[in-house]
Amino acid sequence: MMIPEFDHPTFRLAVAQFDQAAEAMDLHPDLRERLKTPQRALTVSLPIRMDDGTVKVFIGYRVQHDSARGPSKGGIRYHQDINLGEIAALAMWMTWKTALVGVPYGGAKGGVKVNASTLSMRELERLTRRYAAEIFPLIGPDKDIPATDIGTNSQVMAWIMDTYSQQVGYAVPGAVTGKPLSIGGSLGREEATGRGVVNVTLEAMRHLGIELDKTSVVVQGFGNVGSHTARIMHEVGAKVIGVSDFSGGLYNPHGLDIPRLLQHTQHGLPVTESRLGEVITNEELLTLDCTVLIPAAISEQITKHNASNLRCRILTEAANGPTTIEADDILRDRGIFIIPDILANSGGVIVSYFEWVQDVQRFFWKEEDIRQRLREIITTAFHRTLLFAQAKKTTMRMAALMHGINQVAQAHTVRGLYP
Ligand code: GLU
């Protein structure tokens, strides 16, 4: 049964995935209902004084899907198209993701319905501080810890940390992750999702017997996740032949000059204006002949309309929910090896966990320790998922979901039902 409060295509996708996994693992019906229903959801209105003196009201959300295994955790998204159902879906995925990789958190997500690029810095700061103040009753280092996501960055996290700290009267670095280093951020956090994406992709290539020097990579999206993924892929020796951003795609069959492209985009310029390759459409990008395709943008990009045309060997889901249920079936039948989102993009929350641990302990680690521990955790999760998929004769997605859901189900079972 669909909960009408959260009805949205992305929530339907998350629930459909959950139902498939719950069926395959024969999960008890009582638990199925509990785990499908987000634990807590808050909608807030954010009246903001704009620079021209007028007042505009924005809508913000924070959804805590589950906290049986620990404080809930998840990013904050600034995007003009979000709503409660989409945020709830993303919160649910955070629950399975943290459980799958074994970090002691539940799942949450938040967001503000806004196109942040239309705001001035002062407007963005006022909006962020008001949002942080409105969700203040829900968040905190032992309750629910926000982080970066699409449209937010370390400066936004700094304002949230400051607003939280002003309310309680002392600095609380552990209240958010993805912060600047000067207030308790962690080395390696910004690149963490991209580095994790590369770690698991290299493991998949080893498993499939694909050699690095024969590998071509296509990355959809050139935000924090996509750009670091492309950079690290290039650094390890793979040929990145296609990338894209909001302006369209860029293709160079000989391999894009990623360092030069990064210099170009650092000035806020679109990839299509770099003259480093041929300009193509988003649709053409997704169907390029390549070894690894990495969607690193928004959800529902690979659908029943283009799944049959994909020409990759490995699909590494750096974005959350990039593949629809129908596309999933098509890709399985075509034998494309999928590294599912909750595994592929878990590097972000893994290093968020390191950041929070460092903040709480007031003891900071070296970057090489962070990279090594990230690699250890994410590659262990990859092999655990692969072994489980092989043993159960199921897909990597089902194996990842079943393992994650099982961890959460166990926590609920031993904690029991209150009251
Ligand atoms: N927004 C990221 C994600 O979707 C990171 C969340 C976090 O670090 O808490 O996984």
Side-chain angles (χ1 to χ4, degrees), residues 6 77 122 209 263 270 289 335 380 390:
F6 301 105
R77 180 171 286 201
R122 305 307 302 171
Q263 273 176 11
D289 193 355
T380 303
Q390 287 167 337

PDB file of all heavy atoms in Angstrom, residues 6 77 122 209 263 270 289 335 380 390:
ATOM      1  N   PHE A   6       3.507  10.520   0.986  1.00  0.00           N
ATOM      2  CA  PHE A   6       4.833  10.491   0.371  1.00  0.00           C
ATOM      3  C   PHE A   6       4.788  10.149  -1.114  1.00  0.00           C
ATOM      4  O   PHE A   6       5.819   9.900  -1.730  1.00  0.00           O
ATOM      5  CB  PHE A   6       5.729   9.477   1.106  1.00  0.00           C
ATOM      6  CG  PHE A   6       5.894   9.793   2.566  1.00  0.00           C
ATOM      7  CD1 PHE A   6       5.237   9.048   3.533  1.00  0.00           C
ATOM      8  CD2 PHE A   6       6.683  10.859   2.967  1.00  0.00           C
ATOM      9  CE1 PHE A   6       5.381   9.344   4.882  1.00  0.00           C
ATOM     10  CE2 PHE A   6       6.827  11.170   4.304  1.00  0.00           C
ATOM     11  CZ  PHE A   6       6.174  10.415   5.274  1.00  0.00           C
ATOM     12  N   ARG A  77      19.552  18.654   0.344  1.00  0.00           N
ATOM     13  CA  ARG A  77      19.542  18.936  -1.083  1.00  0.00           C
ATOM     14  C   ARG A  77      18.844  20.252  -1.343  1.00  0.00           C
ATOM     15  O   ARG A  77      17.753  20.478  -0.816  1.00  0.00           O
ATOM     16  CB  ARG A  77      18.792  17.775  -1.755  1.00  0.00           C
ATOM     17  CG  ARG A  77      18.681  17.873  -3.231  1.00  0.00           C
ATOM     18  CD  ARG A  77      18.130  16.572  -3.805  1.00  0.00           C
ATOM     19  NE  ARG A  77      19.117  15.484  -3.792  1.00  0.00           N
ATOM     20  CZ  ARG A  77      19.056  14.408  -4.574  1.00  0.00           C
ATOM     21  NH1 ARG A  77      18.055  14.267  -5.424  1.00  0.00           N
ATOM     22  NH2 ARG A  77      19.981  13.475  -4.503  1.00  0.00           N
ATOM     23  N   ARG A 122      24.316  36.208   0.347  1.00  0.00           N
ATOM     24  CA  ARG A 122      23.627  36.631   1.577  1.00  0.00           C
ATOM     25  C   ARG A 122      22.254  35.960   1.676  1.00  0.00           C
ATOM     26  O   ARG A 122      21.834  35.531   2.746  1.00  0.00           O
ATOM     27  CB  ARG A 122      23.460  38.167   1.627  1.00  0.00           C
ATOM     28  CG  ARG A 122      24.727  38.976   1.475  1.00  0.00           C
ATOM     29  CD  ARG A 122      25.816  38.578   2.444  1.00  0.00           C
ATOM     30  NE  ARG A 122      25.410  38.692   3.832  1.00  0.00           N
ATOM     31  CZ  ARG A 122      26.119  38.250   4.867  1.00  0.00           C
ATOM     32  NH1 ARG A 122      27.278  37.643   4.649  1.00  0.00           N
ATOM     33  NH2 ARG A 122      25.677  38.402   6.107  1.00  0.00           N
ATOM     34  N   GLY A 209      37.515  -9.363 -14.933  1.00  0.00           N
ATOM     35  CA  GLY A 209      38.713  -9.557 -15.751  1.00  0.00           C
ATOM     36  C   GLY A 209      38.924  -8.453 -16.788  1.00  0.00           C
ATOM     37  O   GLY A 209      39.441  -8.706 -17.872  1.00  0.00           O
ATOM     38  N   GLN A 263      40.129  22.624 -14.595  1.00  0.00           N
ATOM     39  CA  GLN A 263      40.543  24.038 -14.528  1.00  0.00           C
ATOM     40  C   GLN A 263      39.446  24.929 -15.108  1.00  0.00           C
ATOM     41  O   GLN A 263      39.116  25.983 -14.570  1.00  0.00           O
ATOM     42  CB  GLN A 263      41.816  24.249 -15.359  1.00  0.00           C
ATOM     43  CG  GLN A 263      43.081  23.975 -14.582  1.00  0.00           C
ATOM     44  CD  GLN A 263      44.311  24.113 -15.483  1.00  0.00           C
ATOM     45  OE1 GLN A 263      44.219  24.596 -16.611  1.00  0.00           O
ATOM     46  NE2 GLN A 263      45.440  23.677 -14.983  1.00  0.00           N
ATOM     47  N   PRO A 270      30.488  25.928 -18.064  1.00  0.00           N
ATOM     48  CA  PRO A 270      29.949  24.609 -18.417  1.00  0.00           C
ATOM     49  C   PRO A 270      30.935  23.764 -19.230  1.00  0.00           C
ATOM     50  O   PRO A 270      31.768  24.314 -19.967  1.00  0.00           O
ATOM     51  CB  PRO A 270      28.709  24.943 -19.262  1.00  0.00           C
ATOM     52  CG  PRO A 270      28.837  26.349 -19.664  1.00  0.00           C
ATOM     53  CD  PRO A 270      29.770  27.031 -18.713  1.00  0.00           C
ATOM     54  N   ASP A 289      29.366   3.988 -26.399  1.00  0.00           N
ATOM     55  CA  ASP A 289      30.031   2.698 -26.233  1.00  0.00           C
ATOM     56  C   ASP A 289      31.178   2.888 -25.234  1.00  0.00           C
ATOM     57  O   ASP A 289      32.089   3.672 -25.480  1.00  0.00           O
ATOM     58  CB  ASP A 289      30.577   2.272 -27.614  1.00  0.00           C
ATOM     59  CG  ASP A 289      30.999   0.826 -27.633  1.00  0.00           C
ATOM     60  OD1 ASP A 289      30.961   0.180 -26.558  1.00  0.00           O
ATOM     61  OD2 ASP A 289      31.367   0.337 -28.717  1.00  0.00           O
ATOM     62  N   GLY A 335      22.745  -8.501 -19.101  1.00  0.00           N
ATOM     63  CA  GLY A 335      24.007  -8.904 -18.477  1.00  0.00           C
ATOM     64  C   GLY A 335      24.931  -7.750 -18.119  1.00  0.00           C
ATOM     65  O   GLY A 335      26.143  -7.937 -17.971  1.00  0.00           O
ATOM     66  N   THR A 380      35.171  -4.187   1.199  1.00  0.00           N
ATOM     67  CA  THR A 380      34.591  -5.299   1.962  1.00  0.00           C
ATOM     68  C   THR A 380      33.097  -5.399   1.676  1.00  0.00           C
ATOM     69  O   THR A 380      32.564  -6.489   1.444  1.00  0.00           O
ATOM     70  CB  THR A 380      34.826  -5.095   3.478  1.00  0.00           C
ATOM     71  OG1 THR A 380      36.226  -4.970   3.700  1.00  0.00           O
ATOM     72  CG2 THR A 380      34.280  -6.249   4.300  1.00  0.00           C
ATOM     73  N   GLN A 390      25.936 -14.055  -5.498  1.00  0.00           N
ATOM     74  CA  GLN A 390      26.263 -15.353  -6.108  1.00  0.00           C
ATOM     75  C   GLN A 390      25.575 -16.493  -5.360  1.00  0.00           C
ATOM     76  O   GLN A 390      24.991 -17.381  -5.963  1.00  0.00           O
ATOM     77  CB  GLN A 390      27.782 -15.553  -6.140  1.00  0.00           C
ATOM     78  CG  GLN A 390      28.463 -14.675  -7.186  1.00  0.00           C
ATOM     79  CD  GLN A 390      29.978 -14.613  -7.041  1.00  0.00           C
ATOM     80  OE1 GLN A 390      30.516 -14.847  -5.959  1.00  0.00           O
ATOM     81  NE2 GLN A 390      30.671 -14.289  -8.123  1.00  0.00           N
TER      82      GLN A 390
END
